[in-house]
Amino acid sequence: MSRAHDRQPSGRSRGRRPALTPYRITMLVLTALAVVLIVENRDEIAIRLVVPIVTMPLYLALLIMFVLGGLCGALLIRSRGR
Protein backbone atom coordinates (compact mmCIF):
# COMPACT_ATOMS: atom_id res chain seq x y z
CA MET A 1 0.00 0.00 0.00
CA SER A 2 1.35 3.39 -0.99
CA ARG A 3 1.75 6.08 1.65
CA ALA A 4 1.51 8.94 -0.86
CA HIS A 5 -2.21 9.37 -0.20
CA ASP A 6 -1.66 9.41 3.60
CA ARG A 7 0.45 12.56 3.56
CA GLN A 8 -1.10 15.72 4.90
CA PRO A 9 -0.70 18.75 2.65
CA SER A 10 1.42 21.47 4.14
CA GLY A 11 0.02 24.97 4.54
CA ARG A 12 2.11 26.26 1.65
CA SER A 13 2.29 24.95 -1.86
CA ARG A 14 5.70 23.89 -3.05
CA GLY A 15 7.61 26.16 -5.36
CA ARG A 16 5.64 29.28 -4.52
CA ARG A 17 7.20 32.07 -2.54
CA PRO A 18 5.27 34.64 -0.53
CA ALA A 19 4.74 37.89 -2.43
CA LEU A 20 6.18 40.20 0.25
CA THR A 21 9.22 38.91 2.02
CA PRO A 22 11.30 41.06 4.39
CA TYR A 23 13.98 41.24 1.69
CA ARG A 24 11.53 42.55 -0.92
CA ILE A 25 10.05 45.06 1.51
CA THR A 26 13.55 46.34 2.34
CA MET A 27 14.40 46.68 -1.37
CA LEU A 28 11.15 48.56 -2.05
CA VAL A 29 11.79 50.97 0.85
CA LEU A 30 15.40 51.61 -0.23
CA THR A 31 14.33 52.15 -3.84
CA ALA A 32 11.62 54.58 -2.75
CA LEU A 33 14.15 56.51 -0.63
CA ALA A 34 16.56 56.66 -3.57
CA VAL A 35 13.82 57.97 -5.86
CA VAL A 36 12.86 60.67 -3.31
CA LEU A 37 16.53 61.68 -2.98
CA ILE A 38 16.86 61.91 -6.75
CA VAL A 39 13.66 63.94 -7.23
CA GLU A 40 14.44 66.41 -4.43
CA ASN A 41 17.87 67.38 -5.83
CA ARG A 42 17.30 69.43 -8.97
CA ASP A 43 20.18 71.94 -8.75
CA GLU A 44 22.77 72.24 -11.52
CA ILE A 45 26.20 70.92 -10.53
CA ALA A 46 29.61 70.64 -12.15
CA ILE A 47 31.16 67.17 -12.13
CA ARG A 48 34.79 66.52 -13.03
CA LEU A 49 35.15 63.35 -15.11
CA VAL A 50 38.94 62.87 -14.93
CA VAL A 51 39.66 65.71 -17.42
CA PRO A 52 36.40 67.28 -18.67
CA ILE A 53 34.01 69.13 -16.38
CA VAL A 54 30.37 68.32 -17.09
CA THR A 55 27.47 70.48 -15.89
CA MET A 56 24.20 68.62 -15.32
CA PRO A 57 21.30 68.52 -12.87
CA LEU A 58 22.13 66.71 -9.65
CA TYR A 59 19.12 64.41 -10.04
CA LEU A 60 20.53 63.17 -13.35
CA ALA A 61 23.92 62.41 -11.79
CA LEU A 62 22.18 60.61 -8.89
CA LEU A 63 19.97 58.65 -11.30
CA ILE A 64 22.99 57.55 -13.32
CA MET A 65 24.79 56.39 -10.17
CA PHE A 66 21.63 54.59 -8.95
CA VAL A 67 21.34 52.67 -12.23
CA LEU A 68 25.06 51.84 -12.28
CA GLY A 69 24.85 50.60 -8.67
CA GLY A 70 21.87 48.42 -9.55
CA LEU A 71 23.70 46.95 -12.52
CA CYS A 72 26.78 46.22 -10.40
CA GLY A 73 24.59 44.55 -7.77
CA ALA A 74 22.82 42.46 -10.41
CA LEU A 75 26.14 41.34 -11.88
CA LEU A 76 27.42 40.44 -8.43
CA ILE A 77 24.33 38.35 -7.64
CA ARG A 78 24.53 36.68 -11.05
CA SER A 79 28.20 35.77 -10.60
CA ARG A 80 27.53 34.27 -7.14
CA GLY A 81 24.85 32.03 -8.61
CA ARG A 82 27.30 30.24 -10.88
Side-chain angles (χ1 to χ4, degrees), residues 9-21:
S10 63
R12 294 163 65 175
S13 61
R14 288 190 176 181
R16 300 201 81 194
R17 296 180 186 167
L20 288 178
T21 62

Side-chain angles (χ1 to χ4, degrees), residues 30-42 58-59 62:
L30 289 176
T31 301
L33 288 174
V35 169
V36 168
L37 178 74
I38 290 168
V39 170
E40 289 296 321
N41 290 286
R42 296 180 293 242
L58 181 57
Y59 72 86
L62 290 170

Side-chain angles (χ1 to χ4, degrees), residues 20-80:
L20 288 178
T21 62
Y23 174 79
R24 288 182 182 167
I25 292 170
T26 303
M27 288 297 107
L28 287 172
V29 169
L30 289 176
T31 301
L33 288 174
V35 169
V36 168
L37 178 74
I38 290 168
V39 170
E40 289 296 321
N41 290 286
R42 296 180 293 242
D43 299 332
E44 289 281 323
I45 60 166
I47 299 174
R48 179 179 297 272
L49 299 173
V50 182
V51 175
I53 296 177
V54 179
T55 302
M56 69 174 69
L58 181 57
Y59 72 86
L60 188 58
L62 290 170
L63 182 62
I64 291 169
M65 294 312 299
F66 179 72
V67 170
L68 288 174
L71 289 173
C72 289
L75 288 173
L76 180 66
I77 289 172
R78 186 174 178 202
S79 69
R80 283 188 179 180

